[in-house]
Amino acid sequence: MDLFSGYRARSGYDEMIAPDGTVRSPYRDFRERIQDWDATAFLQRQEIADLDTLNSGITFTVYNDDAGTERIFPFSLIPRIIAPDEWAQLERGLVQRVTALNRFLVDIYGPQDCISDGLIPADMVFDHAAYRLRMAGFRPPQGVYSHIAGIDLIRDSEGVFRVLEDNLRTPSGVSYVLENRRTMLDTVPDLFPLGRVEPVSGYPERLLEMLVAMRPEGVAPDETRAVILTPGAANSAYFEHSFLARQMGIELVEGRDLVVHRQRVYLRATTGLERVHVIYRRVDDDYLDPLVFSPESMLGVSGLVNSYLAGNVTIVNAIGTGVADDKTTYCFVPAMIRYYLGEEPIIPNVETFTGWREEDCAYMLDHLEELVLKPAEGSGGYGIVVGAQASAETLATARDRLRREPRKWIAQPLQDFSTIPTFDGAQFEPRRADLRPFVITGDGSWVLPGGLTRVAANAESYIVNSSQGGGSKDSWVLRKQPES
Amino acid sequence: MLSRVAENLYWLGRYLERADNMARLADVNVQATTESTPAGGGSAWEAVIATLGATEAYAGALTERPDLTLADYLIYSSYPESLRSTVATARSIAREVREHISREVFEEVNRLYLGTNRGGTDERSLRMFYATVKRAVATILGLFDNTVLLTEGREWFHCGLFLERAEMTSRIIDAKYFILLPEPDDVGGPRDRYQWMAVLRSASALEAYRKQEHGPVTGPRVADLLMFDQDFPRSMVYCVAQLRSHYERAVVQIPMARSVHAAREVAILEYDLRAADARNVIRSGLHEFVDDFQARLGVIDEALREHLFRAVPEEPEG
């Protein structure tokens, strides 16, 4: 009688247990190692892990709640484990996708071939709230727009990984990947298959290398000053901003710490003004520069955009990437991959209907109770209507909104995505989980092995966002076992 | 170093030192009244609040919450003067400068903050709480010395710490001389001596006193130790000397035009303290002397803010 003997996977795909009750191959070693644990042993470790999380201040801030409440991101000790060959395939698919998306961005802010060739409707791009006219005709260093991308994947009931969403603006979560691994190594080192898990600690170095590589022309690599720009300590992802600054050994700055003189950006230091060359910004486009975007923004730096367009500072990610990671554009990504790369997409999309197509819209209105309706622009799980779980009133309101502004919505069939065993306090239950791998693009693209596994707050939920109470897990990419 | 970060590190030092002093003050004074009532008939908490200079703020708080006791106000309330708020502020600053302190320091500050959830206000729980604060701050300062890089930021932290300590020590002396003004008959009597011992304990100075002075505990000698003993690490002169040397190290790379203002104030203050003598100070008015001292600390603080932390940026070179 051990912890997993009562575990029953749901009808869909479970990452650990196959429908016939056997343990799937990536989990076999893990299953043996946890064999002798009982609930007490598990809870003890979980307690140590939670205390560690609390003490090290790994918290995020929840909006729409008491102003500035900090919470721990719940952490679950059972990892997601990915087989080596499966990861190799995902890695190729992620690089392919991010490459195509960067080509698309260079194209729409440049020659606009995809529009003249009829691939993308012109007004879909130009009417888009995140399209930045100021970027038209500007080619960022090395033609990279989205240097750091987070691509959300799910595994469907057939066991196929699919892309659920692209995040090309300022995706967060990577600090949890690194901290989750540290917590696992500290609290359950005995569960690791010795020497077979790909490390994740190389991320900050890769990130810094990329930032330096993006420096403006004429600046030597060892003179390059890169900084992280944060909206401040009240931001929900502040922990991550501070974490990355620490890990890379670079300065974490706020808008008020920067000043622009003659189209050059400087830090306000005690010693005077010091030149900055690369800004990894974690501030949205709208708040970057009050002279260009939102004039009431206190978070930005006046003159920053001009200095960027003059080539004196590089902004990472580039301005205007939001037009490519929106849920409507998402529907066109497989076509982009074929168009720009002449390849078939390696990781498929989830079936998606967009209000931009009339026939899709009609279908959405008729089948709303079977669909998940999402705002085309927006993130964090806000505004999502899960048809099967919504009240008649919610559905009516949603239909109304859809009729009024069809282009603002997309819908997908309810995806029964895969589950991973998660301890609910007394036993293991299957909970749905997604995976957000992170892709860094400079000279080439590099994928952090694994990524952030987010898990729903309870057995019924389909929503894994931390702002909705979800938690996270460590993600292990297994190394190929050496031939013996 | 970023000006904002330098200022935050300075305030981190100040708030941590303040929390430590508050815990010590409350502890000693309240304990002292368990044996003997203070002069003037006021409660020990009144002496504490007067020392902290928060009497008026408390009166203001009372108009909002008439049932707020002094102990509640000073220890657990959400008013900015409370010990708990002081710790919370230190922690939120630490969070903002986390890249500039070590992981160990941050986690200890964070643990201190997480431990300040409301406990009991009976004397036993309060004393345990003070002990926690004092031990945590001592641990943090030790970790800071042994794990944080020897850069400019470390010096700013220490500038804040010693400036705050100098001010707190001056308040402790002032409170005894001015606020708890003894009845003329009492001077040199058992009660007077007992109170001076409490002052020494508030400044963690009783053992130091026994080593430096071999006679009985008298006002002038205590004042001499707390103000002018260059070997006692909480004396005013020691703190100002430390402030000067940390400041000099902090500004090594900083243009003179920015650093000279505070440097001048600190140096003159140190000279004045070294040249002063307890008997003369007491004769010509200790309260006035302390008042002036605190005002000059204020000038230093102002000079740091105006010329270093929040200076209007000049044009870059070239």
Side-chain angles (χ1 to χ4, degrees):
Chain A
M1 187 62 192
D2 74 37
L3 275 175
F4 283 98
S5 51
Y7 181 75
R8 291 284 168 271
R10 217 192 312 279
S11 55
Y13 190 97
D14 189 81
E15 295 287 338
M16 180 163 169
I17 308 288
D20 62 4
T22 58
V23 178
R24 293 191 196 273
S25 69
Y27 277 89
R28 274 184 205 140
D29 183 281
F30 178 81
R31 178 73 181 80
E32 269 168 43
R33 287 171 188 270
I34 206 169
Q35 188 83 22
D36 302 326
W37 289 35
D38 58 9
T40 321
F42 191 88
L43 283 172
Q44 270 172 0
R45 305 288 189 106
Q46 182 74 53
E47 220 170 280
I48 297 172
D50 288 349
L51 192 66
D52 180 66
T53 308
L54 186 67
N55 281 338
S56 41
I58 308 174
T59 55
F60 65 96
T61 315
V62 183
Y63 300 126
N64 305 337
D65 196 356
D66 289 339
T69 313
E70 278 177 50
R71 280 203 206 149
I72 313 189
F73 198 8
F75 177 62
S76 152
L77 289 176
I78 307 298
R80 172 196 283 279
I81 308 181
I82 307 169
D85 37 351
E86 194 162 39
W87 177 253
Q89 177 83 353
L90 285 177
E91 212 175 13
R92 279 195 300 277
L94 291 162
V95 171
Q96 178 194 54
R97 190 169 179 105
V98 169
T99 308
L101 284 163
N102 270 310
R103 292 277 291 273
F104 168 70
L105 284 160
V106 170
D107 188 13
I108 58 163
Y109 289 112
Q112 302 175 345
D113 292 338
C114 64
I115 295 171
S116 39
D117 288 345
L119 185 77
I120 310 278
D123 42 357
M124 194 185 103
V125 173
F126 300 127
D127 290 350
H128 197 289
Y131 175 78
R132 305 291 174 212
L133 191 56
R134 287 294 291 265
M135 293 294 286
F138 178 74
R139 189 184 155 90
Q142 327 235 13
V144 183
Y145 268 83
S146 192
H147 309 82
I148 298 123
I151 310 293
D152 292 348
L153 305 175
I154 57 167
R155 198 204 284 269
D156 68 14
S157 43
E158 309 300 313
V160 178
F161 272 108
R162 291 174 181 275
V163 175
L164 188 65
E165 192 176 293
D166 303 295
N167 297 280
L168 307 177
R169 303 177 202 205
T170 55
S172 57
V174 76
S175 58
Y176 298 114
V177 177
L178 272 63
E179 285 289 274
N180 284 352
R181 177 63 55 82
R182 194 186 58 85
T183 305
M184 289 290 277
L185 288 169
D186 278 354
T187 53
V188 292
D190 41 342
L191 294 183
F192 279 76
L194 282 182
R196 284 197 58 212
V197 179
E198 289 282 356
V200 295
S201 53
Y203 183 87
E205 219 167 291
R206 292 279 186 160
L207 180 58
L208 185 59
E209 243 171 60
M210 179 276 288
L211 294 175
V212 173
M214 289 300 116
R215 68 192 178 276
E217 255 177 68
V219 181
D222 55 349
E223 286 168 7
T224 304
R225 183 84 177 261
V227 299
I228 299 183
L229 176 64
T230 174
N235 183 266
S236 68
Y238 181 77
F239 169 77
E240 176 153 311
H241 308 162
S242 153
F243 176 86
L244 290 174
R246 260 177 287 143
Q247 294 278 317
M248 291 190 284
I250 66 177
E251 205 72 58
L252 179 64
V253 306
E254 297 178 15
R256 58 188 157 128
D257 298 325
L258 298 179
V259 58
V260 177
H261 271 295
R262 295 196 196 91
Q263 300 195 331
R264 286 179 169 75
V265 182
Y266 297 88
L267 280 180
R268 296 179 56 170
T270 48
T271 41
L273 297 178
E274 294 172 13
R275 177 85 187 271
V276 173
H277 305 103
V278 181
I279 299 177
Y280 174 22
R281 53 79 175 244
R282 298 293 300 257
V283 171
D284 292 343
D285 285 359
D286 281 335
Y287 303 103
L288 271 180
D289 183 345
L291 295 183
V292 177
F293 304 119
S294 175
E296 62 271 23
S297 168
M298 303 294 286
L299 305 176
V301 186
S302 295
L304 178 60
V305 170
N306 272 340
S307 154
Y308 175 49
L309 296 177
N312 292 332
V313 69
T314 307
I315 296 178
V316 169
N317 289 351
I319 295 171
T321 55
V323 67
D325 75 355
D326 135 294
K327 296 184 182 69
T328 304
T329 318
Y330 164 88
C331 307
F332 295 85
V333 178
M336 285 177 204
I337 293 173
R338 293 185 197 101
Y339 178 77
Y340 292 112
L341 309 177
E343 298 170 6
E344 275 306 302
I346 298 169
I347 314 174
N349 269 12
V350 167
E351 186 185 12
T352 306
F353 304 94
T354 160
W356 279 81
R357 300 187 186 115
E358 265 175 47
E359 64 278 18
D360 282 15
C361 191
Y363 183 89
M364 284 154 78
L365 286 167
D366 286 348
H367 296 81
L368 205 51
E369 46 291 303
E370 302 152 27
L371 298 171
V372 181
L373 189 70
K374 300 179 179 179
E377 289 164 28
S379 62
Y382 296 103
I384 293 181
V385 179
V386 179
Q389 294 173 351
S391 67
E393 196 190 341
T394 314
L395 283 176
T397 320
R399 276 204 183 84
D400 211 40
R401 286 190 185 144
L402 180 56
R403 261 188 221 106
R404 239 182 304 134
E405 295 181 298
R407 291 177 169 189
K408 293 212 158 162
W409 300 92
I410 60 117
Q412 293 163 336
L414 186 57
Q415 283 288 332
D416 195 10
F417 53 101
S418 66
T419 55
I420 305 177
T422 301
F423 205 63
D424 73 351
Q427 56 185 351
F428 283 104
E429 60 174 21
R431 289 203 197 156
R432 296 184 180 85
D434 75 350
L435 176 65
R436 174 181 289 184
F438 292 89
V439 186
I440 294 181
T441 304
D443 295 331
S445 287
W446 176 79
V447 188
L448 173 66
L452 179 63
T453 294
R454 297 184 298 177
V455 53
N458 57 59
E460 282 70 46
S461 176
Y462 286 85
I463 295 178
V464 296
N465 300 75
S466 55
S467 48
Q468 311 289 327
S472 75
K473 287 171 174 292
D474 193 10
S475 315
W476 296 358
V477 171
L478 295 185
R479 280 193 179 144
K480 266 204 178 3
Q481 217 152 14
E483 313 277 331
S484 53
Chain B
M1 153 162 283
L2 274 182
S3 308
R4 176 177 56 85
V5 171
E7 182 171 8
N8 273 330
L9 285 165
Y10 166 82
W11 279 106
L12 180 61
R14 287 200 72 162
Y15 274 100
L16 285 172
E17 180 66 25
R18 188 175 300 176
D20 179 53
N21 278 275
M22 287 177 77
R24 197 186 312 281
L25 258 178
D27 194 10
V28 170
N29 279 279
V30 175
Q31 190 193 17
T33 46
T34 320
E35 286 180 336
S36 149
T37 52
S43 80
W45 283 108
E46 277 168 35
V48 176
I49 200 167
T51 308
L52 294 171
T55 311
E56 271 177 43
Y58 174 62
L62 273 183
T63 61
E64 289 172 32
R65 292 177 48 192
D67 59 335
L68 188 67
T69 67
L70 265 167
D72 256 330
Y73 172 76
L74 279 178
I75 305 303
Y76 283 117
S77 80
S78 56
Y79 289 96
E81 296 79 18
S82 79
L83 178 54
R84 189 186 180 189
S85 300
T86 303
V87 169
T89 307
R91 188 265 186 175
S92 88
I93 296 171
R95 196 167 165 262
E96 283 197 43
V97 292
R98 208 176 153 164
E99 322 83 72
H100 298 269
I101 55 182
S102 62
R103 177 173 206 124
E104 289 86 348
V105 169
F106 175 79
E107 290 189 3
E108 204 57 40
V109 176
N110 198 38
R111 256 197 288 275
L112 168 62
Y113 163 76
L114 294 169
T116 54
N117 292 324
R118 195 185 169 91
T121 43
D122 59 289
E123 203 179 315
R124 207 182 121 71
S125 339
L126 284 177
R127 296 205 58 201
M128 277 171 61
F129 180 47
Y130 306 144
T132 308
V133 173
K134 286 188 284 183
R135 197 169 44 235
V137 173
T139 308
I140 293 162
L141 299 189
L143 285 170
F144 198 98
D145 273 349
N146 291 296
T147 61
V148 174
L149 271 178
L150 297 167
T151 56
E152 190 188 332
R154 181 180 164 113
E155 307 303 336
W156 289 123
F157 175 86
H158 283 112
C159 285
L161 184 132
F162 282 108
L163 190 141
E164 183 72 24
R165 187 180 292 174
E167 162 134 16
M168 278 302 204
T169 299
S170 77
R171 284 176 178 279
I172 289 167
I173 305 165
D174 195 32
K176 164 64 182 154
Y177 249 102
F178 187 67
I179 302 154
L180 304 175
L181 197 61
E183 307 290 320
D185 298 348
D186 268 354
V187 174
R191 180 145 81 177
D192 187 41
R193 201 183 301 174
Y194 189 78
Q195 282 177 14
W196 276 112
M197 284 170 68
V199 167
L200 284 171
R201 282 210 306 276
S202 306
S204 285
L206 186 55
E207 288 178 20
Y209 185 88
R210 294 297 187 207
K211 290 204 173 68
Q212 299 290 69
E213 308 274 344
H214 295 288
V217 175
T218 68
R221 285 179 172 183
V222 172
D224 194 29
L225 175 77
L226 294 185
M227 295 196 288
F228 304 125
D229 191 320
Q230 300 180 15
D231 297 329
F232 177 56
R234 309 193 75 86
S235 75
M236 284 158 48
V237 69
Y238 178 89
C239 292
V240 172
Q242 286 294 313
L243 173 60
R244 180 184 48 77
S245 78
H246 285 289
Y247 182 77
E248 281 170 1
R249 269 175 275 169
V251 300
V252 166
Q253 316 245 8
I254 294 176
M256 186 77 104
R258 291 180 152 222
S259 68
V260 73
H261 309 271
R264 175 176 180 276
E265 298 299 329
V266 176
I268 298 175
L269 183 55
E270 188 189 351
Y271 280 124
D272 285 353
L273 286 174
R274 286 190 191 275
D277 157 87
R279 275 176 202 288
N280 285 333
V281 165
I282 292 169
R283 202 175 304 126
S284 58
L286 186 135
H287 175 63
E288 288 70 22
F289 181 81
V290 168
D291 234 18
D292 176 61
F293 177 74
Q294 289 172 358
R296 291 167 74 175
L297 292 180
V299 171
I300 294 168
D301 179 79
E302 184 61 37
L304 291 175
R305 194 178 8 251
E306 190 182 330
H307 298 285
L308 281 156
F309 301 146
R310 306 203 186 155
V312 180
E314 65 276 28
E315 291 279 319
E317 293 163 33

